[in-house]
Amino acid sequence: MRVLVTGAAGFIGSQVADLLVAEGHEVVCLDALLPQAHGGGLPEWSRRHDPVVGDVRDPALLDRLLSGVDAVCHQAAMVGHGLDPSDAPAYASHNDFGTAVLLAAMHRAGVSRLVLASSMVVYGEGCYECARHGAVRPAARRPVDLAAGRYDPTCPHCAGPLTSALVGEDAPLEPRSTYAASKLAQEHLAAAWARQTGGGVWALRYHNVYGPRMPRDTPYAGVASIFRSALADGQPPRLYEDGRQRRDFVHVTDVARANLRALTAPAPDGLVPVNVCSGEPHTVGDLAAALASAMNGPSPVVVGGARVADVRHVVADPRRARELLGYTAEVGFVDGVTAFATDPLREPATLAG
């Protein structure tokens, strides 16, 4: 199979490209080398695939690269929690306009298979259950509660406590940040393209991905990278809220395997979203403590407060990935985090560009 991998020099895209080649597939690699993720330019591990440095928003370039391609693995995106609403034009341009240009080029080239890198951020808060009212969508967390250290959302009907449950792919979608909105827009664009062309899309909703090649020293990086950078400087990881936010931390090599499964599975009818997770939920505090232990660094400190647009608990249901793609994670939390303490990371990124 000949696969165009966008974002192929990135944290996840480079792992996908490596795995595809190892499995005997041919890759065409494209990356814009956005400074938010590529402060040191093209890394050594990506040069082996002779990537094209270019922009997914360039239709002429895409027309050339899509020649003879069987499928597209679309990893290119501006990622992360961002800084503030001034990021919105960049997210919309790179993530949504870029996806639209790619889909149009795929239509011109007659390419009908797409694996889209989506994200768990499209869910907003995860799933919750109330002892009195069953499954509910939680009330919005109020600033006054966050300031008082009351971090868990409450029932919108009785204001009672809620229990976090597994979030499945059919859960209501409620993006809380600009990045999250841009990822959901990518799914909508891809779904419309599939309906119009008869194409098939696996939308892989990545949960909290960590592992080698993460960017570091940037607010766009993942929490694992931020914790590791602090520990490398001799500082304790700083935990917002109380550190008990529940997440699913999934190793990047497992994410790459999920992409391979999606590319080689029968194409779905239209767009089908799939959680890509470990199935082994942990708190953010668990991650910080495990990494501090692996690095012989200072213990995490709870600083309280809450990031704007952040959510409390998002814990994934892994069943659909197992049933439709035959995917289950292989890297356990302790082994993955221990290895991450010394994994190679990207050079410090910049905020310009």
Side-chain angles (χ1 to χ4, degrees):
M1 179 184 295
R2 182 178 172 90
V3 181
L4 171 62
V5 181
T6 70
F11 167 42
I12 297 173
S14 65
Q15 299 274 1
V16 172
D18 283 354
L19 184 57
L20 284 168
V21 170
E23 293 292 321
H25 301 286
E26 182 181 0
V27 295
V28 179
C29 294
L30 173 66
D31 202 294
L33 298 183
L34 294 181
Q36 293 91 337
H38 301 278
L42 188 64
E44 180 62 35
W45 54 70
S46 293
R47 295 175 188 169
R48 71 190 73 162
H49 303 308
D50 193 23
V52 174
V53 178
D55 199 315
V56 76
R57 297 169 294 180
D58 183 343
L61 175 61
L62 291 178
D63 287 342
R64 176 167 64 85
L65 297 182
L66 284 166
S67 177
V69 161
D70 301 299
V72 173
C73 187
H74 185 32
Q75 306 293 322
M78 181 175 167
V79 301
H81 195 78
L83 298 175
D84 56 49
S86 64
D87 285 329
Y91 279 117
S93 180
H94 287 290
N95 297 359
D96 302 329
F97 180 65
T99 297
V101 173
L102 174 63
L103 293 170
M106 290 177 64
H107 174 58
R108 291 193 298 272
V111 180
S112 60
R113 289 183 61 102
L114 174 65
V115 174
L116 173 67
S118 187
S119 173
M120 45 77 76
V121 296
V122 301
Y123 295 119
E125 285 283 358
C127 288
Y128 293 86
E129 294 179 353
C130 172
R132 290 178 58 190
H133 298 99
V136 297
R137 298 185 71 177
R141 299 197 295 172
R142 302 182 306 166
V144 64
D145 290 329
L146 297 176
R150 295 187 293 270
Y151 300 115
D152 286 300
T154 56
C155 177
H157 306 296
C158 66
L162 298 177
T163 301
S164 173
L166 298 181
V167 59
E169 292 84 353
D170 295 328
L173 305 180
E174 190 179 7
R176 300 289 183 90
S177 68
T178 303
Y179 168 63
S182 76
K183 297 307 288 185
L184 182 54
Q186 282 185 312
E187 288 196 20
H188 287 321
L189 288 166
W193 168 85
R195 285 191 294 269
Q196 292 173 312
T197 65
V201 184
W202 293 106
L204 303 184
R205 291 177 179 165
Y206 303 156
H207 285 253
N208 290 72
V209 188
Y210 72 99
R213 308 181 186 176
M214 285 189 84
R216 61 185 176 93
D217 299 334
T218 164
Y220 297 93
V223 66
S225 178
I226 293 171
F227 288 165
R228 180 173 146 174
S229 293
L231 287 162
D233 290 337
Q235 301 298 316
R238 293 165 56 85
L239 298 173
Y240 288 108
E241 303 186 15
D242 55 7
R244 297 176 184 171
Q245 307 94 307
R246 297 176 72 230
R247 298 289 189 270
D248 188 304
F249 299 100
V250 57
H251 198 266
V252 67
T253 57
D254 282 327
V255 174
R257 288 194 311 101
N259 276 271
L260 176 65
R261 293 278 187 171
L263 285 163
T264 55
D269 182 14
L271 181 144
V272 176
V274 178
N275 284 328
V276 176
C277 60
S278 71
E280 186 183 351
H282 287 273
T283 67
V284 176
D286 290 340
L287 173 67
L291 193 55
S293 176
M295 296 180 68
N296 295 315
S299 297
V301 296
V302 174
V303 298
R307 297 192 305 174
V308 175
D310 212 349
V311 297
R312 181 60 172 170
H313 304 301
V314 183
V315 179
D317 187 338
R319 285 179 296 178
R320 182 177 291 184
R322 182 174 63 248
E323 293 169 358
L324 298 186
L325 298 178
Y327 161 83
T328 54
E330 295 181 352
V331 180
F333 179 78
V334 173
D335 289 343
V337 174
T338 300
F340 182 66
T342 55
D343 279 336
L345 301 187
R346 246 166 238 281
E347 290 303 308
T350 65
L351 300 183

